[in-house]
Amino acid sequence: MTRIHAERALVAGRELTDVVIEVADGRITAITSGESPESADLRLGTVLAGSGNAHSHAFHRALRGRTHDQGGDFWRWRQQMYAVADRLTPDSYERLAEAVFAEMLVTGWTSVAEFHYVHHRPDGAPYEDPNAFGLALARAAAGVGIRLTLLDTLYLTSAPGEPLLPEQSRFGDGTATAWLDRWQRLHETHESNEGTVVGAAIHSVRAVSPEDIALVAERLPTEAPLHVHVSEQPAENEQSLAAYGRTPIRVLADAGALTPRTWLVHATHLTDDDIALIADSGAGVVMCPTTEADLGDGIGPARELADAGVRIALGSDQNAVIDPWLEVRGLEAGERLRSRRRGRFSPTDLESARTSAGYAAGGLPGGLRVGARADLVELQPDSVRTTGACLDQVALVATATDVTKVLVGGRAVAEDGRLADGRDPATLLTEALKELP
């Protein structure tokens, strides 16, 4: 057993002092306050639960700072993204993902749900190991110590009824059955791996037909998390209505794919009926405020979803920004801009979105509570940003710069902006990006 002593910690929305967190097999087994430290304790200062990144595309990080000069919209950005995807190899992606995951870790993201759809060679032919890219991502996460939920993604059409575009060839498996077979092999490879959860994703209603969505919903193991991009753009809704006479949410519901294990990414342009369907199903929503702002997607109905009882998690998506604290602020700021009112989410709501909901989206128990993974973040309480802040509101003022130490499974994996072994994420990124001119 490991004992961690925190001078103060945020537990169940309350600031406690002299907190002892007991850890066994990487999980929290007890939390008590008002206790003096012992000589063998791991001593920490101000402690919060680790952040659960519920949506990431690691390779999009290569576009940071390179897509902002000529305006445009999501669809123009997408063409630049395809160009990066075309240059990836399993080896280069492993190095890039390791660097991106390292950056996540030092900012306080302690788990990541990687929505992974680059599977094959540029012409669509499989590698000798058809899961070469997925295995590379798993190695990258293990190499830095972040928890990974690998969401292997089904991607079959460019639009309803339309074949994949040439630049999408490496995303597809031809049929849903072929994808399920490959997914099963990937799952079997990692089913005993404590550090990696293998989940699944349906890229979108644009990319998978209702019939194939239903097949996946039927055949995918019930314990596997299932994620779907949904209603990110009005054009997606228009295509779904034209092809199926239904919104994407209704398509998912009718196919049996809207259940408590389902997480809907973005959900920006929803109808009232969509929100009711999501709430009735028990599905969750992943919002990615910095990406939705960067791509000009719009501001989703977060308050309406929460009022209906829908769980909301946060993700870094395209990784133009990697900072959980900015995603928290983006969620609240978007609501303030929509409503012209402050305090749309309580500090407890925002903490849940950052921690336990993000972990739940990855099929993991999170938060600073007994039974959860012992993934913790130590913050500097008296920086120019955080000094004077109440602990339950510190996420609204902190940034990644304020993270001083990160623990995963009770073990220190990062400190003062570097990995525990001393590696600098900036150096890792610089070297990885050289392979993707």
Side-chain angles (χ1 to χ4, degrees), residues 269-285:
H269 303 281
L270 301 178
T271 67
D272 290 345
D273 182 59
D274 290 337
I275 293 172
L277 284 170
I278 297 168
D280 289 345
S281 73
V285 165

Side-chain angles (χ1 to χ4, degrees), residues 47 99 126 131 221 307 401 432:
V47 172
N131 287 310
D307 287 343
T401 307

Side-chain angles (χ1 to χ4, degrees), residues 42 108 156 202 291 314 337 341 352 371 419 421:
L42 173 59
L156 297 176
I202 293 164
T291 287
L314 297 169
L337 291 169
R341 296 182 62 187
S352 295
L419 299 178
D421 60 11

Side-chain angles (χ1 to χ4, degrees), residues 67 124 250 404:
T67 64
R250 176 62 74 175
T404 52

Side-chain angles (χ1 to χ4, degrees), residues 45-212:
T46 297
V47 172
L48 284 77
S51 305
N53 188 344
H55 187 67
S56 164
H57 303 290
F59 79 90
H60 292 188
R61 169 61 182 84
L63 294 170
R64 185 189 295 178
R66 300 184 179 190
T67 64
H68 311 283
D69 56 338
Q70 297 180 39
D73 56 13
F74 167 87
W75 305 101
R76 180 180 179 276
W77 172 88
R78 191 176 73 156
Q79 291 304 123
Q80 295 169 293
M81 178 269 288
Y82 287 153
V84 172
D86 188 60
R87 297 196 293 272
L88 294 172
T89 67
D91 286 344
S92 68
Y93 199 6
E94 181 175 345
R95 286 184 284 275
L96 177 60
E98 185 175 50
V100 175
F101 294 156
E103 183 182 5
M104 287 181 189
L105 205 55
V106 301
T107 69
W109 291 118
T110 46
S111 72
V112 57
E114 182 65 23
F115 199 110
H116 165 55
Y117 56 82
V118 181
H119 301 308
H120 306 301
R121 301 179 193 274
D123 63 357
Y127 286 90
E128 190 170 321
D129 184 334
N131 287 310
F133 272 113
L135 297 174
L137 288 167
R139 289 193 299 270
V144 300
I146 197 169
R147 294 194 193 280
L148 174 68
T149 298
L150 183 58
L151 300 167
D152 196 275
T153 302
L154 175 61
Y155 200 137
L156 297 176
T157 60
S158 61
E162 298 295 327
L164 291 176
L165 302 171
E167 55 267 35
Q168 298 169 325
S169 295
R170 66 189 324 183
F171 307 160
D173 286 278
T175 68
T177 299
W179 173 80
L180 281 161
D181 289 344
R182 184 175 58 74
W183 184 92
Q184 185 61 40
R185 291 196 294 273
L186 182 65
H187 180 260
E188 290 169 356
T189 300
H190 287 284
E191 59 185 344
S192 62
N193 185 340
E194 173 70 15
T196 301
V197 173
V198 176
I202 293 164
H203 181 273
S204 60
V205 170
R206 288 185 292 108
V208 184
S209 71
E211 295 76 19
D212 285 332

Side-chain angles (χ1 to χ4, degrees), residues 208-379:
V208 184
S209 71
E211 295 76 19
D212 285 332
I213 292 171
L215 180 65
V216 170
E218 177 186 354
R219 289 187 49 184
L220 201 68
T222 56
E223 71 275 9
L226 177 63
H227 290 219
V228 191
H229 289 131
V230 67
S231 296
E232 181 178 5
Q233 292 289 323
E236 177 187 334
N237 291 353
E238 292 162 6
Q239 288 179 358
S240 182
L241 288 166
Y244 309 123
R246 295 167 286 169
T247 66
I249 292 294
R250 176 62 74 175
V251 169
L252 292 170
D254 291 348
L258 210 57
T259 71
R261 59 98 168 260
T262 307
W263 287 82
L264 305 163
V265 181
H266 302 303
T268 306
H269 303 281
L270 301 178
T271 67
D272 290 345
D273 182 59
D274 290 337
I275 293 172
L277 284 170
I278 297 168
D280 289 345
S281 73
V285 165
V286 181
M287 292 188 161
C288 307
T290 62
T291 287
E292 288 145 11
D294 182 74
L295 297 179
D297 289 343
I299 300 172
R303 188 63 261 169
E304 290 90 332
L305 286 162
D307 287 343
V310 176
R311 298 165 294 167
I312 296 177
L314 297 169
S316 63
D317 193 2
Q318 62 160 333
N319 297 304
V321 175
I322 296 181
D323 189 325
W325 322 100
L326 296 186
E327 302 298 346
V328 169
R329 288 213 277 290
L331 177 62
E332 172 66 14
E335 269 301 307
R336 293 184 186 187
L337 291 169
R338 290 179 67 230
S339 67
R340 291 176 292 176
R341 296 182 62 187
R342 302 179 77 238
R344 297 288 283 168
F345 287 96
S346 72
T348 299
D349 292 337
L350 294 171
E351 184 69 0
S352 295
R354 182 183 68 82
T355 61
S356 57
Y359 267 65
L364 296 165
L368 187 38
R369 59 183 177 84
V370 173
R373 303 299 171 94
D375 301 346
L376 308 172
V377 173
E378 180 188 55
L379 284 181

